[in-house]
């Protein structure tokens, strides 16, 4: 993946000194960059060739016939792209990506010790996320604790929160959430944290919440790709992968959601190129984040059972079930999966009118091999395994305004509430 970088508005953002990082490559800015949604029509191959020939960044995978590509275009290539893609219908997502990122990234100072709803008014530096989780535990010391799931390739701890109900910890089936697998998907950590905050905050006053927390034990890891997330805040806002070096290549990073030991060798669901955003690695589980996260899932399953696994992503507004690695096979209880998904997306829509589509991953979005959702179901043995693509459908894409954080969390809770109430 070529190096795009963060606005000068974030140059003053720093993380705690305990957070390890590599020497910073030179920053550039996104000023003048445009993001265009280009309809492929019947000429997907032609559009993909133009994108490849101009070495342009895309926010989603290659365009398919009848589909589209969301393309990031620097000022230096705009006229050339417009000339070559003159026959394609386009929609402007971001007129000036630099301005959009600047508007998105107005970080508010977090008052340590509060852990209240104001947290969801803005995005936050990585160090503040760790403080927020510690503050949640401090506010609920008898039913929660900080947990970890190993370390990243640069030595940052994968930190989460664990909480339980009246029966105590370790005795009820577990629910596990992963978020910020892909570093640029900032909305996902905020939504995952909202679920933790809401469940703990309302445990004492809401009988439905209390019933869920008494029935299950929750493990929520809001940022499972800490190196990549830190990099999006200090260098490259649109970075996706981890920050692991690749032998024989100057390109950095693996897609840790293409690196799990499940159908890793199957073709068509990930890239073998170290420079690609969906690079699957030199071998399965060679990303330390993947190895650590898989070990944690399996340990939880063995100790207390794993009822539900959710991998939170953005963007596209999709509520998806396995499988990602094949479009010709579905889990044995696929009918139940689709019924649950249908009910969950109806519950989401009932809040603000936000429409989510649903279905198996491969047929709903695209083929993915070596993914956590397939692993959690078929290897770990979770009872249920889902992946959600949160807001929006492309008006803002990865650069979702902070004003949409709280609504995203609230509507996601509605979908989760339906799921928890109707799982067998």
């Amino acid at each position: 993946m070529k190096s795009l970088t963060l606005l000068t508005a974030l140059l003053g953002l720093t993380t705690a000194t305990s957070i390890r990082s590599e020497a910073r490559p030179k920053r550039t800015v996104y000023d003048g960059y445009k993001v265009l949604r280009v309809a492929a029509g019947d000429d997907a191959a032609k559009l993909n060739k133009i994108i490849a020939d101009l070495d342009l960044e895309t926010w989603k995978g290659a365009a398919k016939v009848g589909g589209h590509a969301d393309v990031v275009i620097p000022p230096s290539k705009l006229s050339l792209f417009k000339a070559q893609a003159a026959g394609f219908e386009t929609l402007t997502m971001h007129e000036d990506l630099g301005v959009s990122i600047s508007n998105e990234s107005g970080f508010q100072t977090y008052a340590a010790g509060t852990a209240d709803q104001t947290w969801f008014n803005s995005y936050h530096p990585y160090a503040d996320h760790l403080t927020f989780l510690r503050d949640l535990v401090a506010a609920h010391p008898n039913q929660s604790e900080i947990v970890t799931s190993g370390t990243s390739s640069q030595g940052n701890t994968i930190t989460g929160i664990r909480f339980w109900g009246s029966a105590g910890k370790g005795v009820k089936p577990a629910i596990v959430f992963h978020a910020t697998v892909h570093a640029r998907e900032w909305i996902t950590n905020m939504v995952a944290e909202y679920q933790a905050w809401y469940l703990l905050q309302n445990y004492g006053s809401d009988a439905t919440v209390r019933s869920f927390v008494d029935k299950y034990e929750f493990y929520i890891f809001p940022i499972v790709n800490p190196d990549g997330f830190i990099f999006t805040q200090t260098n490259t806002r649109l970075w996706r992968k981890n920050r692991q070096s690749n032998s024989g290549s100057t390109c950095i990073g693996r897609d840790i959601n293409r690196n799990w030991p499940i159908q890793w060798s199957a073709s068509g669901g990930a890239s073998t190129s170290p420079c690609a955003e969906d690079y699957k690695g030199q071998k399965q589980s060679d990303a330390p984040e993947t190895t650590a996260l898989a070990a944690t899932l399996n340990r939880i399953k063995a100790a207390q059972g794993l009822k539900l696994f959710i991998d939170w992503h953005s963007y596209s507004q999709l509520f998806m079930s396995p499988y990602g690695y094949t479009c010709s096979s579905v889990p044995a209880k696929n009918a139940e999966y689709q019924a649950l998904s249908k009910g969950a997306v109806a519950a989401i829509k009932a809040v603000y009118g936000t429409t989510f589509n649903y279905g198996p991953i491969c047929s709903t979005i695209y083929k993915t091999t070596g993914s956590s959702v397939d692993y959690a179901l078929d290897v770990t043995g979770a009872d249920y395994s889902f992946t959600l693509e949160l807001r929006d459908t492309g008006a803002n894409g990865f650069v979702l305004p902070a004003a949409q954080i709280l609504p995203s969390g609230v509507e996601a809770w509605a979908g989760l509430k339906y799921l928890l109430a109707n799982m067998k």
Side-chain angles (χ1 to χ4, degrees):
M1 174 179 172
K2 66 180 182 179
S3 182
L4 298 173
T5 52
L6 190 61
L7 276 182
T8 52
L10 292 181
L11 295 183
L13 184 152
T14 59
T15 55
T17 56
S18 61
I19 298 169
R20 302 179 189 178
S21 61
E22 62 186 41
R24 303 297 185 201
K26 183 180 178 181
R27 293 185 181 99
T28 57
V29 295
Y30 288 110
D31 292 347
Y33 280 67
K34 294 186 184 299
V35 184
L36 302 179
R37 172 160 289 182
V38 187
D42 295 327
D43 292 322
K46 179 181 177 182
L47 176 58
N48 290 330
K49 186 176 187 304
I50 293 170
I51 292 169
D53 288 348
L54 293 178
D55 191 25
L56 297 175
E57 196 78 26
T58 60
W59 279 6
K60 291 294 177 183
K64 300 177 182 179
V65 172
H68 64 266
D70 296 343
V71 188
V72 181
I73 308 174
S76 61
K77 297 181 180 180
L78 182 60
S79 60
L80 191 58
F81 177 81
K82 286 185 174 181
Q84 294 189 19
F88 293 94
E89 181 181 347
T90 63
L91 173 70
T92 300
M93 296 167 60
H94 293 276
E95 183 67 34
D96 188 323
L97 184 57
V99 172
S100 297
I101 292 174
S102 180
N103 292 337
E104 171 206 44
S105 305
F107 294 117
Q108 295 180 8
T109 300
Y110 172 60
T114 53
D116 60 21
Q117 188 172 298
T118 61
W119 172 258
F120 305 102
N121 291 341
S122 71
Y123 296 103
H124 301 277
Y126 177 67
D128 281 2
H129 284 275
L130 303 182
T131 302
F132 177 76
L133 292 180
R134 289 192 293 266
D135 288 347
L136 267 184
V137 169
H140 307 278
N142 297 322
Q143 66 173 133
S144 65
E145 65 183 12
I146 295 295
V147 290
T148 61
S149 184
T151 56
S152 67
S153 63
Q154 294 183 334
N156 289 305
T157 302
I158 300 172
T159 302
I161 185 170
R162 173 189 188 185
F163 53 95
W164 53 87
S166 58
K169 64 180 179 179
V171 296
K172 297 291 184 180
I175 290 173
V176 178
F177 296 165
H178 288 175
T180 329
V181 177
H182 295 143
R184 61 194 178 188
E185 298 170 7
W186 286 10
I187 188 60
T188 64
N189 51 66
M190 301 301 297
V191 167
E193 287 165 353
Y194 181 86
Q195 310 312 305
W197 174 83
Y198 189 90
L199 287 163
L200 284 168
Q201 180 74 15
N202 292 285
Y203 176 81
S205 59
D206 186 316
T208 300
V209 168
R210 186 163 57 252
S211 70
F212 294 152
V213 180
D214 284 346
K215 187 175 183 180
Y216 303 114
E217 187 166 329
F218 290 79
Y219 295 78
I220 297 179
F221 295 93
I223 302 172
V224 301
N225 181 6
D227 299 348
F229 182 64
I230 293 167
F231 195 72
T232 65
Q233 297 192 323
T234 57
N235 292 84
T236 304
R237 172 62 185 89
L238 299 180
W239 186 260
R240 170 182 165 105
K241 300 182 285 184
N242 74 356
R243 294 294 300 164
Q244 188 174 354
S245 61
N246 293 306
S247 177
S249 175
T250 58
C251 293
I252 298 294
R254 286 156 170 73
D255 183 340
I256 61 176
N257 201 39
R258 301 294 186 273
N259 189 246
W260 290 69
I262 173 77
Q263 295 290 328
W264 180 86
S265 297
S267 62
S271 177
T272 58
S273 169
C275 298
E277 290 187 331
D278 60 347
Y279 176 51
K280 65 182 184 179
Q282 295 176 332
K283 59 182 180 180
Q284 64 183 26
S285 296
D286 66 352
E289 296 88 349
T290 304
T291 300
L293 293 166
T296 298
L297 281 184
N298 294 333
R299 184 172 61 252
I300 291 170
K301 166 66 177 177
Q304 60 194 108
L306 181 56
K307 188 67 176 179
L308 171 66
F309 172 76
I310 297 181
D311 195 17
W312 301 81
H313 288 267
S314 72
Y315 58 96
S316 284
Q317 293 174 197
L318 302 172
F319 202 106
M320 296 183 292
S321 56
Y323 291 112
Y325 69 83
T326 177
C327 291
S328 60
S329 179
V330 292
K333 56 182 182 182
N334 183 60
E336 183 185 357
Y337 265 113
Q338 301 320 309
L340 286 170
S341 298
K342 181 180 180 180
V345 301
I348 290 170
K349 187 172 185 177
V351 182
Y352 301 114
T354 309
T355 299
F356 276 60
N357 292 323
Y358 67 91
I361 297 166
C362 184
S363 57
T364 303
I365 187 167
Y366 41 63
K367 186 176 183 179
T368 61
T369 51
S371 73
S372 63
V373 170
D374 290 346
Y375 181 92
L377 181 65
D378 277 2
V379 180
T380 302
D383 290 346
Y384 300 93
S385 185
F386 290 92
T387 188
L388 272 66
E389 294 273 353
L390 300 170
R391 291 189 183 192
D392 55 13
T393 57
N396 297 286
F398 298 118
V399 187
L400 192 70
Q404 295 196 39
I405 294 172
L406 185 57
S408 294
V410 172
E411 68 191 12
W413 161 246
L416 177 61
K417 180 180 178 180
Y418 180 89
L419 205 59
L420 296 178
N422 290 278
M423 295 186 305
K424 295 179 181 177

